[in-house]
Amino acid sequence: MTETLFALDAAHERIREAARTLAAEVAPFAAEADDATEVHVPTAEALRRSGLAAYVVPREFGGHDDTLDPLALAIIREQLMAVSAHLDSLFGMQGVGSYALSVGGSDELRREWLPKVARAEAIPSIALTEPEVGSDLRGITTTIAQDGDVLRISGRKAFITNAGAADFACVLGKEGDGYSMALVPTDSPGLRVTSGPELIAPHIIGELHFDDVVVPAVNRLGEPGKAFALMLQTLAVFRVSVAGSAVGLAQAALDEAVRHATSREQFGKPLMALGSVSQNLALSWAEIEAARALTYRAAALAASDPLAHIAETSMAKVIATETSARVVDRAVQAMGRFGLIRGSVIERLYRNARPVRIYEGSTEVLLDSLARQLAKRTTS
């Protein structure tokens, strides 16, 4: 891997090395894992043994730190995504799927589930999007209603990561004039799981159908009707970790292209000596370092108050994911016909670079939000 220009403190350097060790363990079967549409058992077992899932829950419930460290999450995902999108997703979803529980769940509920999440023994998911609702989550139609000491949930969620593998889902639904969340074990009566569409980059994805699903009222996450802020906080924390993933993907693509360009000759000289190739790869290096610096800074800011720094984490997600797309495209171009071989490392990176520009806030949606925030700052 090209040496990064960004220095980390000793604690975060240890975290990065632990993530690199896990990635190296998974590397021999990464291609097989990345073709999986259900949990790839050897990859999940490697994640479990690594202990890295403990970074996604508070220390009180088996985690490493008193509160989640977004910088640690971004660093870990940077290393994992460079080797396997499946591994990155398994790790990332341990946090994304359980964060609302960590922040908004009762002590009883957290004691029941979070230690299992920290040990990667329970797989969580978060159920936000619906067949007709993606970015505009205020348009959801799934309902949550309190009936005495239970909550009743009805509706349908689509494009849900881990849907067929999760042990529980944190579900967003309409409740009166507001939005609420509830933890729903996936073995609850009335909950049916169906497979989702096949994606260009294989993924564990499916639909959740709630037919008057009943859970105890203690399974409520956050206050009634006020869970939209809890959902936004989840995105604020983990959106920047997606930026970390994108940086790792871009770095892996650059490394692959540089290996090719320094070993293959054309016109009597290495490809790396040809101006157009070398300049594009040098530009890619500079852009990756810029994206990494922004990602690490945004993650560090998010540690104190995720919602207060949602602009910075959104910027990092936009810049890092758009950078990864450009870098992977340049890498394929530099490798010529060798960049087009199905099943090659660069081909997997090319396919995996596309979804990160869409999930957890598409580039266009985030830019619209940033534009609104920019206008407010300019006029205030």
Side-chain angles (χ1 to χ4, degrees), residues 22 46-56 62 64 91 118-120:
L22 171 58
L47 174 60
R48 193 173 300 121
R49 288 192 299 270
S50 75
L52 287 175
Y55 282 99
V56 307
H64 279 292
F91 171 79
R119 297 190 299 268

Side-chain angles (χ1 to χ4, degrees), residues 41-377:
V41 174
T43 301
E45 289 177 346
L47 174 60
R48 193 173 300 121
R49 288 192 299 270
S50 75
L52 287 175
Y55 282 99
V56 307
V57 302
R59 190 192 308 275
E60 181 182 0
F61 302 101
H64 279 292
D65 301 305
D66 292 337
T67 57
L68 270 66
D69 178 0
L71 179 55
L73 301 178
I75 290 167
I76 291 170
R77 296 192 67 176
E78 179 183 350
Q79 301 305 315
L80 303 188
M81 186 63 153
V83 171
S84 168
H86 187 78
L87 173 61
D88 172 70
S89 179
L90 287 179
F91 171 79
M93 284 306 300
Q94 288 299 110
V96 178
S98 67
Y99 185 76
L101 170 61
S102 293
V103 176
S106 67
D107 285 344
E108 175 186 345
L109 206 58
R110 291 190 292 175
R111 283 193 297 268
E112 177 182 359
W113 287 107
L114 288 181
K116 299 175 187 177
V117 172
R119 297 190 299 268
E121 294 173 357
I123 296 177
S125 68
I126 184 168
L128 305 177
T129 55
E130 298 182 357
E132 303 302 325
V133 178
S135 298
D136 183 14
L137 290 173
R138 294 189 185 278
I140 62 172
T141 59
T142 296
T143 59
I144 297 175
Q146 182 139 5
D147 182 6
D149 58 358
V150 300
L151 300 175
R152 294 185 177 277
I153 303 163
S154 296
R156 178 184 171 195
K157 296 293 184 177
F159 280 83
I160 304 304
T161 300
N162 283 353
D167 295 285
F168 67 87
C170 295
V171 182
L172 180 70
K174 285 277 293 180
E175 186 174 20
D177 294 329
Y179 301 85
S180 296
M181 291 190 80
L183 183 145
V184 181
T186 52
D187 60 358
S188 299
L191 174 55
R192 181 168 53 92
V193 181
T194 58
S195 60
E198 185 176 349
L199 305 182
I200 58 173
H203 199 64
I204 306 171
I205 200 163
E207 295 193 357
L208 301 176
H209 305 257
F210 300 89
D211 184 11
D212 194 28
V213 174
V214 177
V215 298
V218 73
N219 283 30
R220 181 186 290 282
L221 304 175
E223 297 181 36
K226 298 182 179 180
F228 213 79
L230 183 57
M231 181 271 297
L232 289 176
Q233 187 174 341
T234 301
L235 295 178
V237 170
F238 287 93
R239 182 173 286 156
V240 74
S241 78
V242 177
S245 294
V247 169
L249 189 153
Q251 186 70 66
L254 177 60
D255 292 345
E256 192 73 9
V258 169
R259 278 192 290 270
H260 180 84
T262 53
S263 62
R264 180 166 174 79
E265 291 192 359
Q266 290 286 280
F267 308 106
K269 60 180 70 174
L271 284 175
M272 200 66 181
L274 300 177
S276 58
V277 174
S278 60
Q279 290 173 14
N280 277 331
L281 297 183
L283 178 59
S284 295
W285 184 24
E287 289 184 347
I288 290 169
E289 289 298 336
R292 180 181 283 117
L294 177 58
T295 296
Y296 286 8
R297 176 180 179 273
L301 289 171
S304 60
D305 189 342
L307 285 177
H309 296 288
I310 198 166
E312 288 84 357
T313 56
S314 295
M315 288 180 203
K317 203 269 185 180
V318 168
I319 294 301
T321 57
E322 293 297 320
T323 294
S324 72
R326 290 194 300 271
V327 169
V328 175
D329 189 68
R330 290 180 194 138
V332 171
Q333 195 71 15
M335 295 176 68
R337 65 181 184 269
F338 295 98
L340 304 177
I341 298 173
R342 184 167 180 80
S344 66
V345 170
I346 200 67
E347 186 263 349
R348 281 196 293 120
L349 293 171
Y350 189 81
R351 283 188 288 113
N352 287 326
R354 196 61 189 84
V356 296
R357 296 167 62 198
I358 295 175
Y359 66 73
E360 292 199 36
S362 70
T363 296
E364 293 77 13
V365 169
L366 295 183
L367 288 176
D368 278 347
S369 175
L370 286 168
R372 289 193 295 271
Q373 293 178 65
L374 179 61
K376 290 180 181 178
R377 294 184 184 196

